[in-house]
Amino acid sequence: MKIVSISIWVCLITYFIITCFNITNYSKKDETQKADVGIVLGAGIWNDEPSPVFRERINHSIALYKDGYIKKIIFTGGKADGKRFSESYVAKQYAERLGVNSKHIFIEEKSKITQENLKFAKEIMIENNFSKALLISDPLHMKRAVLIAKDFNISAHTSPTKTSQCKSTNKKLTFLMRESFFYITYQIYRIFY
């Protein structure tokens, strides 16, 4: 019985390590190309301003917009407890200050997690006849985001921000552990739903 327990733990740990490796490897993938819209995944706000992580995702979407890769931007993220505004509203205000035409910005204000970000972004895509999207987030977030996007039948390509605020080894490791856990959890969720 003890040998079986040890074997199970070894398998679980091995699977987690392999997942970490795959997420890290995938984070180097950049498929930036012309698309109808960029979907910016939410990442929190601080005092009615984008958090440093979210700000860099927004900045990347603005650069893609100004360089002609995307024509429109969908900002995602709902309103957290105790906040005056939603993440996506704050992102929209920030982008407008940096020269993005408000007519080219869409927001969804209901989501709390990545899965909901993409679910509600898909609804906006359908309403506006957008067929192809660039997913905009941190590099280590991309593997899970692409998997979820596929489940929602979003034709999406990766465009990870080059200026991620997860720079230190400690921050990268924390992000990787978190992403690996959520990636595995989402895979389990897919089996049952």
Side-chain angles (χ1 to χ4, degrees), residues 15 115 127 163 165-166 170 172:
Y15 182 66
Q115 189 174 352
E127 288 167 11
T163 56
Q165 289 300 292
C166 297
N170 188 41
K172 282 182 183 175

Side-chain angles (χ1 to χ4, degrees), residues 45 77-80 84-91 107-109:
I45 57 174
K79 185 177 173 185
R84 289 194 308 155
F85 304 113
S86 68
E87 292 177 18
S88 55
Y89 177 80
V90 169
I107 62 173
E108 69 76 21
E109 299 184 278

Side-chain angles (χ1 to χ4, degrees), residues 5 13-14 26-27 33 36 38 44 73 79 85-86 91 101 120 125 128 135 142-143 155 157 181 191:
S5 291
I13 291 167
T14 301
Y26 198 90
S27 73
Q33 57 192 271
D36 299 317
I73 303 171
K79 185 177 173 185
F85 304 113
S86 68
N101 187 328
F120 298 128
M125 288 184 70
N128 293 277
L135 291 183
M142 283 298 168
K143 187 166 179 64
S155 175
H157 299 276
F181 173 77
I191 293 168

Side-chain angles (χ1 to χ4, degrees), residues 1-9:
M1 197 68 166
K2 192 173 182 180
I3 293 173
V4 172
S5 291
I6 292 170
S7 297
I8 290 170
W9 276 108

Side-chain angles (χ1 to χ4, degrees), residues 6-144:
I6 292 170
S7 297
I8 290 170
W9 276 108
V10 167
C11 287
L12 289 172
I13 291 167
T14 301
Y15 182 66
F16 189 81
I17 291 168
I18 290 169
T19 300
C20 288
F21 174 79
N22 288 338
I23 287 171
T24 301
N25 195 43
Y26 198 90
S27 73
K28 299 168 188 166
K29 189 174 185 177
D30 186 338
E31 303 171 324
T32 300
Q33 57 192 271
K34 290 201 171 186
D36 299 317
V37 67
I39 300 173
V40 182
L41 302 177
I45 57 174
W46 294 1
N47 300 320
D48 301 335
E49 288 293 327
S51 67
V53 170
F54 196 22
R55 182 189 67 229
E56 294 312 311
R57 294 179 188 183
I58 300 165
N59 286 339
H60 185 57
S61 73
I62 293 168
L64 292 170
Y65 171 82
K66 289 184 175 179
D67 289 343
Y69 284 101
I70 54 177
K71 300 169 187 172
K72 306 283 194 294
I73 303 171
I74 299 172
F75 291 118
T76 66
K79 185 177 173 185
D81 293 339
K83 300 291 185 183
R84 289 194 308 155
F85 304 113
S86 68
E87 292 177 18
S88 55
Y89 177 80
V90 169
K92 180 179 188 286
Q93 299 299 307
Y94 180 90
E96 286 176 355
R97 288 196 306 266
L98 293 180
V100 178
N101 187 328
S102 62
K103 293 178 182 175
H104 297 163
I105 299 173
F106 298 84
I107 62 173
E108 69 76 21
E109 299 184 278
K110 298 179 280 187
S111 65
K112 302 288 184 193
I113 58 174
T114 302
Q115 189 174 352
E116 292 175 349
N117 290 161
L118 290 163
K119 175 186 175 184
F120 298 128
K122 172 67 176 186
E123 291 175 3
I124 293 171
M125 288 184 70
I126 291 169
E127 288 167 11
N128 293 277
N129 295 314
F130 300 145
S131 59
K132 185 176 171 184
L134 288 181
L135 291 183
I136 300 163
S137 189
D138 286 76
L140 290 171
H141 194 195
M142 283 298 168
K143 187 166 179 64
R144 181 165 62 103

